[in-house]
Structure formats: C-alpha cells, structure tokens
Amino acid sequence: MIELIRTNDAVVISFIESLLRDAGIHCLVADQNMSVLDGSIGVLPRRILVADADEKEARRLLTDAGFAKEMRRDRP
C-alpha cells in the first residue's frame, strides 16, 4: 500500500475517504486508533493509504480536488 496523505485534520481525512470511496478506490486510514495514546487531542497524524494499483488514479483525483500539496511524494 502507498501512503498518500498524513494529517491530523479529521475533516480532511473524512473528505478524502469520501472522494476515494465515491471513485471506487478502497483506502485504509491507518493510525485511527492512536487517539487512545494521545488522549484524543489529535497530536498523532492519521495516514491514508491506497493499493499500489490505485495510486495513479487516487493521486489524480486528489490533485483535482486541491490536495496536491498535501500528498506525500516519498516512496520506500
């Protein structure tokens, strides 16, 4: 899986999840349950991941939606 976005903003996460879901792209929001460790204050960022095969389409969709600057570029 490829990490596209890393953010603390729950609204951004929800919006991106909705965009991807509506486009038929499955995504995983990693670290959602880390709020147990940070006391629900939102210090630890959540990560939005997509399958390698969906990366190109997901990046295009998020770029069109105005999230180009927020997307991660590095790949392991």
Side-chain angles (χ1 to χ4, degrees):
M1 294 200 83
I2 303 297
E3 180 182 340
L4 294 179
I5 302 277
R6 184 180 295 196
T7 183
N8 294 351
D9 191 330
V11 174
V12 168
I13 291 169
S14 178
F15 182 71
I16 291 173
E17 275 186 292
S18 179
L19 279 176
L20 294 172
R21 181 180 55 245
D22 289 350
I25 300 171
H26 175 74
C27 70
L28 170 69
V29 179
D31 305 323
Q32 282 190 106
N33 297 321
M34 293 301 290
S35 62
V36 171
L37 296 177
D38 74 9
S40 298
I41 59 174
V43 175
L44 299 173
R46 279 67 169 174
R47 299 174 293 139
I48 297 179
L49 305 138
V50 297
D52 293 19
D54 294 327
E55 179 184 11
K56 186 175 180 179
E57 184 179 353
R59 285 188 183 279
R60 182 192 53 76
L61 181 68
L62 295 181
T63 297
D64 290 349
F67 290 99
K69 291 183 179 178
E70 288 83 4
M71 276 191 285
R72 299 186 56 88
R73 301 281 181 222
D74 55 335
R75 289 185 61 135

PDB file of all heavy atoms in Angstrom, residues 7 9 12-13 15 17 24 29 37-38 43 47-48 56 60-62 65 70-71 73 75:
ATOM      1  N   THR A   7      -2.115  13.454   7.997  1.00  0.00           N
ATOM      2  CA  THR A   7      -2.668  14.677   8.578  1.00  0.00           C
ATOM      3  C   THR A   7      -3.331  14.413   9.929  1.00  0.00           C
ATOM      4  O   THR A   7      -3.729  13.289  10.213  1.00  0.00           O
ATOM      5  CB  THR A   7      -3.688  15.333   7.618  1.00  0.00           C
ATOM      6  OG1 THR A   7      -4.151  16.565   8.187  1.00  0.00           O
ATOM      7  CG2 THR A   7      -4.865  14.433   7.355  1.00  0.00           C
ATOM      8  N   ASP A   9      -5.951  16.424  10.630  1.00  0.00           N
ATOM      9  CA  ASP A   9      -7.244  17.045  10.369  1.00  0.00           C
ATOM     10  C   ASP A   9      -8.302  15.985  10.034  1.00  0.00           C
ATOM     11  O   ASP A   9      -8.322  15.428   8.928  1.00  0.00           O
ATOM     12  CB  ASP A   9      -7.101  18.043   9.217  1.00  0.00           C
ATOM     13  CG  ASP A   9      -8.315  18.926   9.037  1.00  0.00           C
ATOM     14  OD1 ASP A   9      -9.443  18.474   9.341  1.00  0.00           O
ATOM     15  OD2 ASP A   9      -8.141  20.063   8.574  1.00  0.00           O
ATOM     16  N   VAL A  12     -10.380  16.670   6.829  1.00  0.00           N
ATOM     17  CA  VAL A  12      -9.672  16.340   5.589  1.00  0.00           C
ATOM     18  C   VAL A  12      -9.691  14.835   5.364  1.00  0.00           C
ATOM     19  O   VAL A  12      -9.956  14.367   4.254  1.00  0.00           O
ATOM     20  CB  VAL A  12      -8.221  16.884   5.616  1.00  0.00           C
ATOM     21  CG1 VAL A  12      -7.391  16.307   4.480  1.00  0.00           C
ATOM     22  CG2 VAL A  12      -8.226  18.397   5.555  1.00  0.00           C
ATOM     23  N   ILE A  13      -9.440  14.075   6.405  1.00  0.00           N
ATOM     24  CA  ILE A  13      -9.447  12.615   6.293  1.00  0.00           C
ATOM     25  C   ILE A  13     -10.815  12.123   5.828  1.00  0.00           C
ATOM     26  O   ILE A  13     -10.922  11.323   4.897  1.00  0.00           O
ATOM     27  CB  ILE A  13      -9.050  11.953   7.625  1.00  0.00           C
ATOM     28  CG1 ILE A  13      -7.578  12.227   7.915  1.00  0.00           C
ATOM     29  CG2 ILE A  13      -9.331  10.454   7.600  1.00  0.00           C
ATOM     30  CD1 ILE A  13      -7.151  11.861   9.311  1.00  0.00           C
ATOM     31  N   PHE A  15     -13.149  13.787   4.238  1.00  0.00           N
ATOM     32  CA  PHE A  15     -13.419  14.242   2.877  1.00  0.00           C
ATOM     33  C   PHE A  15     -12.691  13.373   1.855  1.00  0.00           C
ATOM     34  O   PHE A  15     -13.267  12.956   0.847  1.00  0.00           O
ATOM     35  CB  PHE A  15     -13.012  15.710   2.727  1.00  0.00           C
ATOM     36  CG  PHE A  15     -13.300  16.276   1.371  1.00  0.00           C
ATOM     37  CD1 PHE A  15     -14.603  16.525   0.974  1.00  0.00           C
ATOM     38  CD2 PHE A  15     -12.273  16.547   0.486  1.00  0.00           C
ATOM     39  CE1 PHE A  15     -14.879  17.041  -0.283  1.00  0.00           C
ATOM     40  CE2 PHE A  15     -12.535  17.065  -0.769  1.00  0.00           C
ATOM     41  CZ  PHE A  15     -13.846  17.313  -1.157  1.00  0.00           C
ATOM     42  N   GLU A  17     -11.533  10.300   2.280  1.00  0.00           N
ATOM     43  CA  GLU A  17     -12.151   8.968   2.291  1.00  0.00           C
ATOM     44  C   GLU A  17     -13.391   8.942   1.402  1.00  0.00           C
ATOM     45  O   GLU A  17     -13.592   8.009   0.623  1.00  0.00           O
ATOM     46  CB  GLU A  17     -12.577   8.582   3.709  1.00  0.00           C
ATOM     47  CG  GLU A  17     -11.531   7.975   4.557  1.00  0.00           C
ATOM     48  CD  GLU A  17     -12.122   7.517   5.875  1.00  0.00           C
ATOM     49  OE1 GLU A  17     -12.532   8.366   6.689  1.00  0.00           O
ATOM     50  OE2 GLU A  17     -12.184   6.282   6.081  1.00  0.00           O
ATOM     51  N   GLY A  24     -14.648   4.639  -6.240  1.00  0.00           N
ATOM     52  CA  GLY A  24     -14.457   3.196  -6.253  1.00  0.00           C
ATOM     53  C   GLY A  24     -13.055   2.759  -5.862  1.00  0.00           C
ATOM     54  O   GLY A  24     -12.640   1.647  -6.172  1.00  0.00           O
ATOM     55  N   VAL A  29      -7.389   4.009   6.416  1.00  0.00           N
ATOM     56  CA  VAL A  29      -6.934   5.100   7.268  1.00  0.00           C
ATOM     57  C   VAL A  29      -6.184   4.460   8.423  1.00  0.00           C
ATOM     58  O   VAL A  29      -6.774   3.847   9.308  1.00  0.00           O
ATOM     59  CB  VAL A  29      -8.095   5.974   7.776  1.00  0.00           C
ATOM     60  CG1 VAL A  29      -7.560   7.077   8.679  1.00  0.00           C
ATOM     61  CG2 VAL A  29      -8.875   6.560   6.610  1.00  0.00           C
ATOM     62  N   LEU A  37      -3.666   6.659  22.629  1.00  0.00           N
ATOM     63  CA  LEU A  37      -2.364   7.035  23.181  1.00  0.00           C
ATOM     64  C   LEU A  37      -2.197   8.530  23.355  1.00  0.00           C
ATOM     65  O   LEU A  37      -1.534   8.987  24.283  1.00  0.00           O
ATOM     66  CB  LEU A  37      -1.237   6.507  22.280  1.00  0.00           C
ATOM     67  CG  LEU A  37      -1.139   5.003  22.164  1.00  0.00           C
ATOM     68  CD1 LEU A  37      -0.036   4.629  21.184  1.00  0.00           C
ATOM     69  CD2 LEU A  37      -0.852   4.379  23.520  1.00  0.00           C
ATOM     70  N   ASP A  38      -2.771   9.314  22.435  1.00  0.00           N
ATOM     71  CA  ASP A  38      -2.558  10.754  22.539  1.00  0.00           C
ATOM     72  C   ASP A  38      -3.692  11.460  23.290  1.00  0.00           C
ATOM     73  O   ASP A  38      -3.752  12.674  23.328  1.00  0.00           O
ATOM     74  CB  ASP A  38      -2.288  11.396  21.178  1.00  0.00           C
ATOM     75  CG  ASP A  38      -3.510  11.522  20.281  1.00  0.00           C
ATOM     76  OD1 ASP A  38      -4.635  11.269  20.733  1.00  0.00           O
ATOM     77  OD2 ASP A  38      -3.326  11.891  19.115  1.00  0.00           O
ATOM     78  N   VAL A  43      -2.808  14.732  18.300  1.00  0.00           N
ATOM     79  CA  VAL A  43      -1.395  15.009  18.103  1.00  0.00           C
ATOM     80  C   VAL A  43      -0.780  14.073  17.075  1.00  0.00           C
ATOM     81  O   VAL A  43       0.051  14.491  16.273  1.00  0.00           O
ATOM     82  CB  VAL A  43      -0.632  14.892  19.444  1.00  0.00           C
ATOM     83  CG1 VAL A  43       0.850  15.045  19.244  1.00  0.00           C
ATOM     84  CG2 VAL A  43      -1.143  15.911  20.431  1.00  0.00           C
ATOM     85  N   ARG A  47      -2.923   8.356   8.570  1.00  0.00           N
ATOM     86  CA  ARG A  47      -2.391   8.194   7.217  1.00  0.00           C
ATOM     87  C   ARG A  47      -3.437   7.557   6.330  1.00  0.00           C
ATOM     88  O   ARG A  47      -4.084   6.602   6.727  1.00  0.00           O
ATOM     89  CB  ARG A  47      -1.139   7.322   7.241  1.00  0.00           C
ATOM     90  CG  ARG A  47      -0.017   7.919   8.067  1.00  0.00           C
ATOM     91  CD  ARG A  47       1.161   6.986   8.202  1.00  0.00           C
ATOM     92  NE  ARG A  47       0.795   5.826   9.001  1.00  0.00           N
ATOM     93  CZ  ARG A  47       1.163   4.579   8.736  1.00  0.00           C
ATOM     94  NH1 ARG A  47       1.929   4.318   7.692  1.00  0.00           N
ATOM     95  NH2 ARG A  47       0.792   3.582   9.510  1.00  0.00           N
ATOM     96  N   ILE A  48      -3.573   8.076   5.123  1.00  0.00           N
ATOM     97  CA  ILE A  48      -4.479   7.498   4.136  1.00  0.00           C
ATOM     98  C   ILE A  48      -3.633   6.724   3.144  1.00  0.00           C
ATOM     99  O   ILE A  48      -2.729   7.267   2.512  1.00  0.00           O
ATOM    100  CB  ILE A  48      -5.310   8.579   3.430  1.00  0.00           C
ATOM    101  CG1 ILE A  48      -6.195   9.280   4.457  1.00  0.00           C
ATOM    102  CG2 ILE A  48      -6.142   7.953   2.313  1.00  0.00           C
ATOM    103  CD1 ILE A  48      -7.040  10.385   3.903  1.00  0.00           C
ATOM    104  N   LYS A  56      -2.070   5.831  -9.015  1.00  0.00           N
ATOM    105  CA  LYS A  56      -2.123   6.856 -10.059  1.00  0.00           C
ATOM    106  C   LYS A  56      -3.495   7.530 -10.107  1.00  0.00           C
ATOM    107  O   LYS A  56      -3.592   8.768 -10.134  1.00  0.00           O
ATOM    108  CB  LYS A  56      -1.785   6.234 -11.413  1.00  0.00           C
ATOM    109  CG  LYS A  56      -1.679   7.228 -12.527  1.00  0.00           C
ATOM    110  CD  LYS A  56      -1.233   6.554 -13.814  1.00  0.00           C
ATOM    111  CE  LYS A  56      -1.130   7.558 -14.940  1.00  0.00           C
ATOM    112  NZ  LYS A  56      -0.682   6.941 -16.187  1.00  0.00           N
ATOM    113  N   ARG A  60      -4.409  11.453  -9.008  1.00  0.00           N
ATOM    114  CA  ARG A  60      -5.081  12.348  -9.948  1.00  0.00           C
ATOM    115  C   ARG A  60      -6.340  12.937  -9.323  1.00  0.00           C
ATOM    116  O   ARG A  60      -6.582  14.147  -9.383  1.00  0.00           O
ATOM    117  CB  ARG A  60      -5.437  11.605 -11.231  1.00  0.00           C
ATOM    118  CG  ARG A  60      -6.111  12.500 -12.273  1.00  0.00           C
ATOM    119  CD  ARG A  60      -6.717  11.706 -13.417  1.00  0.00           C
ATOM    120  NE  ARG A  60      -7.626  10.656 -12.997  1.00  0.00           N
ATOM    121  CZ  ARG A  60      -8.874  10.842 -12.561  1.00  0.00           C
ATOM    122  NH1 ARG A  60      -9.363  12.055 -12.473  1.00  0.00           N
ATOM    123  NH2 ARG A  60      -9.629   9.819 -12.219  1.00  0.00           N
ATOM    124  N   LEU A  61      -7.118  12.085  -8.677  1.00  0.00           N
ATOM    125  CA  LEU A  61      -8.351  12.522  -8.031  1.00  0.00           C
ATOM    126  C   LEU A  61      -8.067  13.561  -6.938  1.00  0.00           C
ATOM    127  O   LEU A  61      -8.725  14.599  -6.868  1.00  0.00           O
ATOM    128  CB  LEU A  61      -9.079  11.312  -7.438  1.00  0.00           C
ATOM    129  CG  LEU A  61     -10.399  11.573  -6.739  1.00  0.00           C
ATOM    130  CD1 LEU A  61     -11.452  12.006  -7.742  1.00  0.00           C
ATOM    131  CD2 LEU A  61     -10.852  10.317  -6.022  1.00  0.00           C
ATOM    132  N   LEU A  62      -7.081  13.285  -6.089  1.00  0.00           N
ATOM    133  CA  LEU A  62      -6.762  14.211  -5.006  1.00  0.00           C
ATOM    134  C   LEU A  62      -6.157  15.510  -5.525  1.00  0.00           C
ATOM    135  O   LEU A  62      -6.394  16.581  -4.967  1.00  0.00           O
ATOM    136  CB  LEU A  62      -5.839  13.542  -3.989  1.00  0.00           C
ATOM    137  CG  LEU A  62      -6.463  12.363  -3.230  1.00  0.00           C
ATOM    138  CD1 LEU A  62      -5.468  11.787  -2.235  1.00  0.00           C
ATOM    139  CD2 LEU A  62      -7.743  12.772  -2.529  1.00  0.00           C
ATOM    140  N   ALA A  65      -8.911  17.621  -6.702  1.00  0.00           N
ATOM    141  CA  ALA A  65      -9.680  18.126  -5.566  1.00  0.00           C
ATOM    142  C   ALA A  65      -8.916  19.186  -4.762  1.00  0.00           C
ATOM    143  O   ALA A  65      -9.439  19.708  -3.785  1.00  0.00           O
ATOM    144  CB  ALA A  65     -10.076  16.972  -4.651  1.00  0.00           C
ATOM    145  N   GLU A  70      -0.602  18.571  -0.248  1.00  0.00           N
ATOM    146  CA  GLU A  70      -0.662  17.763   0.964  1.00  0.00           C
ATOM    147  C   GLU A  70      -0.206  16.323   0.740  1.00  0.00           C
ATOM    148  O   GLU A  70       0.101  15.615   1.691  1.00  0.00           O
ATOM    149  CB  GLU A  70      -2.084  17.750   1.544  1.00  0.00           C
ATOM    150  CG  GLU A  70      -2.511  19.051   2.171  1.00  0.00           C
ATOM    151  CD  GLU A  70      -3.026  20.055   1.149  1.00  0.00           C
ATOM    152  OE1 GLU A  70      -3.122  19.720  -0.040  1.00  0.00           O
ATOM    153  OE2 GLU A  70      -3.321  21.193   1.552  1.00  0.00           O
ATOM    154  N   MET A  71      -0.169  15.896  -0.522  1.00  0.00           N
ATOM    155  CA  MET A  71       0.199  14.496  -0.794  1.00  0.00           C
ATOM    156  C   MET A  71       1.669  14.246  -0.567  1.00  0.00           C
ATOM    157  O   MET A  71       2.511  15.088  -0.866  1.00  0.00           O
ATOM    158  CB  MET A  71      -0.167  14.122  -2.234  1.00  0.00           C
ATOM    159  CG  MET A  71      -1.595  13.706  -2.380  1.00  0.00           C
ATOM    160  SD  MET A  71      -1.930  12.983  -3.991  1.00  0.00           S
ATOM    161  CE  MET A  71      -1.947  14.432  -5.011  1.00  0.00           C
ATOM    162  N   ARG A  73       5.174  12.510  -1.367  1.00  0.00           N
ATOM    163  CA  ARG A  73       5.850  12.144  -2.622  1.00  0.00           C
ATOM    164  C   ARG A  73       6.814  10.978  -2.431  1.00  0.00           C
ATOM    165  O   ARG A  73       7.127  10.279  -3.375  1.00  0.00           O
ATOM    166  CB  ARG A  73       6.642  13.338  -3.160  1.00  0.00           C
ATOM    167  CG  ARG A  73       5.786  14.531  -3.425  1.00  0.00           C
ATOM    168  CD  ARG A  73       5.050  14.359  -4.731  1.00  0.00           C
ATOM    169  NE  ARG A  73       4.231  15.537  -4.978  1.00  0.00           N
ATOM    170  CZ  ARG A  73       3.016  15.487  -5.437  1.00  0.00           C
ATOM    171  NH1 ARG A  73       2.441  14.339  -5.691  1.00  0.00           N
ATOM    172  NH2 ARG A  73       2.336  16.583  -5.642  1.00  0.00           N
ATOM    173  N   ARG A  75       8.508   7.457  -1.567  1.00  0.00           N
ATOM    174  CA  ARG A  75       8.138   6.046  -1.597  1.00  0.00           C
ATOM    175  C   ARG A  75       9.290   5.261  -1.022  1.00  0.00           C
ATOM    176  O   ARG A  75      10.438   5.525  -1.328  1.00  0.00           O
ATOM    177  CB  ARG A  75       7.883   5.592  -3.027  1.00  0.00           C
ATOM    178  CG  ARG A  75       6.606   6.182  -3.605  1.00  0.00           C
ATOM    179  CD  ARG A  75       6.351   5.602  -4.941  1.00  0.00           C
ATOM    180  NE  ARG A  75       6.193   4.157  -4.808  1.00  0.00           N
ATOM    181  CZ  ARG A  75       5.250   3.462  -5.397  1.00  0.00           C
ATOM    182  NH1 ARG A  75       4.374   4.051  -6.144  1.00  0.00           N
ATOM    183  NH2 ARG A  75       5.188   2.161  -5.245  1.00  0.00           N
TER     184      ARG A  75
END
